[in-house]
Amino acid sequence: MIFSDPRIKMSEEEYRLIRDFVYSNSGISFDESAKFLLERRLYHRLEIHGLSNYKDYHRYLLYGPDKDMELNSVLDILTTNETYFYREQCQLKAFTDEVLPEIMERKKNIRIWSAGCSTGEEPYTIAMLVLDKIQRNSWDIEIFAHDISHRAIRAARHGIYSDSSFRTTEECYKNRFFEPCGDGKFKIKDEVKRLVKFGQLNLLDANRMGLLGKMDVVFCRNVIIYFDTQAKKNVIENLYNRLDEGSYLLLGHSESLINISTAFILQNLKNDIIYRKPFLSGSIDGADNIANNIKINRKVR
Ligand SMILES: C[S@@+](CC[C@H](N)C(=O)[O-])C[C@H]1O[C@@H](n2cnc3c(N)ncnc32)[C@H](O)[C@@H]1O
């Protein structure tokens, strides 16, 4: 990605216009200190469109002939796509050893969603765990993966990764599920790839999310960290509506629902603490209701 030296300065007013535009289209919020970052990252777009100031660029984002494509370019540039395989191992162990077996006792068709999947490392990890740990003969397990960034989804579908994606991957899994493809890179094998269905989606878009149907487990890790409180509330409510009763929500280790939602139950598992949507009939054994002031002592991963 090219981040040019910004020879055109962004005024405070232009910064507010563009920052608010990005927020309303993604939920991603930038604070007052991010003006230089936006200026540096978006300058190249002004060059491409032959524009001389950010006010005109904002107008282009609203009314330009290819405004939808331009929005995609902005989101590709401004989203943080940091991710890697087998991220947050305690949580993954809770998923394979406790969450999946519990669901498998109740259901034959299991639907898992990586919401904010970036370049694919998270959903492919889920697929590798399923292939490694689960006897799938009697169960139909579907894995869905979405991100707002088209570029990230393209990379995920491509499925080629370099060293930084493997920082916590054991060599045996790398050998089993990847094949070298030159330049020190590795390609995900088809047996993993075919388990994951990718798509572009904004987690603030409740209507399009509704088309996905109900999920049994949602991984939404390290996504809401970039949102302000209102956007967090909106996204979590949308995810709540996508979850079936008794289903699980897995957030990143630095994220919690404190001051965001009291609709979930906090369940202490052996390997981690996990949010769960209650059954309509009542609460879940062993689960503690979340009060806004509960401190979550998540295990160190
Ligand atoms: C830091 S990555 C996390 C990737 C992965 N979940 C993980 O934990 O490794 C955050 C991802 O959230 C995506 N994202 C941000 N806002 C989004 C939104 N409104 N809808 C969908 N995805 C979004 C970004 O594009 C980015 O790829």
Side-chain angles (χ1 to χ4, degrees), residues 25-28 75-76 78-85 87-88 114-123 146-152 200-205 219-227 235 252 255:
N25 283 284
S26 69
I28 299 169
L75 295 174
D76 284 348
L78 294 181
T79 48
T80 303
N81 308 118
E82 162 71 8
T83 184
Y84 47 92
F85 294 108
R87 188 174 196 176
E88 302 188 21
S114 169
C117 65
S118 187
T119 41
E121 286 87 335
E122 180 176 271
H146 291 88
D147 200 280
I148 199 169
S149 161
H150 279 78
R151 180 180 45 76
Q200 187 273 345
L201 182 84
N202 182 353
L203 295 173
L204 288 169
D205 186 343
F219 287 76
C220 186
R221 306 188 305 172
N222 310 297
V223 177
I224 61 169
I225 197 171
Y226 300 103
F227 298 166
V235 166
E255 297 164 322

Side-chain angles (χ1 to χ4, degrees), residues 10-20 23 28-39 228:
M10 194 184 265
S11 70
E12 290 297 332
E13 187 203 348
E14 289 170 331
Y15 171 62
R16 273 193 298 277
L17 288 172
I18 295 204
R19 181 196 64 184
D20 292 352
Y23 175 74
I28 299 169
S29 85
F30 292 98
D31 65 20
E32 297 306 321
S33 65
K35 183 165 85 74
F36 180 66
L37 181 135
L38 260 59
E39 195 177 72
D228 72 353

Side-chain angles (χ1 to χ4, degrees), residues 132-190:
D132 190 38
K133 309 266 185 203
I134 307 295
Q135 291 293 338
R136 288 184 305 136
N137 309 355
S138 325
W139 285 271
D140 177 15
I141 299 186
E142 294 179 280
I143 303 167
F144 302 87
H146 291 88
D147 200 280
I148 199 169
S149 161
H150 279 78
R151 180 180 45 76
I153 291 299
R154 267 197 310 276
R157 288 192 171 124
H158 204 44
I160 291 180
Y161 298 96
S162 48
D163 277 353
S164 68
S165 296
F166 294 103
R167 67 191 86 159
T168 60
T169 306
E170 288 178 35
E171 208 56 29
C172 60
Y173 292 129
K174 196 172 172 186
N175 294 335
R176 178 169 162 198
F177 294 120
F178 295 84
E179 52 203 27
C181 60
D183 289 341
K185 296 192 174 168
F186 289 82
K187 188 172 176 35
I188 193 98
K189 286 190 179 166
D190 281 346

Side-chain angles (χ1 to χ4, degrees), residues 60-123:
Y60 193 95
L61 285 167
L62 291 177
Y63 308 114
D66 56 354
K67 61 185 169 59
D68 293 343
M69 275 169 64
E70 192 56 31
L71 169 63
N72 290 338
S73 299
V74 168
L75 295 174
D76 284 348
I77 292 168
L78 294 181
T79 48
T80 303
N81 308 118
E82 162 71 8
T83 184
Y84 47 92
F85 294 108
Y86 294 95
R87 188 174 196 176
E88 302 188 21
Q89 309 254 352
C90 289
Q91 196 180 46
L92 297 176
K93 191 163 168 49
F95 167 68
T96 52
D97 295 4
E98 300 176 82
V99 169
L100 268 184
E102 189 282 323
I103 301 171
M104 288 164 90
E105 276 181 21
R106 294 188 278 122
K107 305 182 82 163
K108 289 284 173 219
N109 179 278
I110 301 174
R111 309 180 86 233
I112 304 165
W113 186 20
S114 169
C117 65
S118 187
T119 41
E121 286 87 335
E122 180 176 271

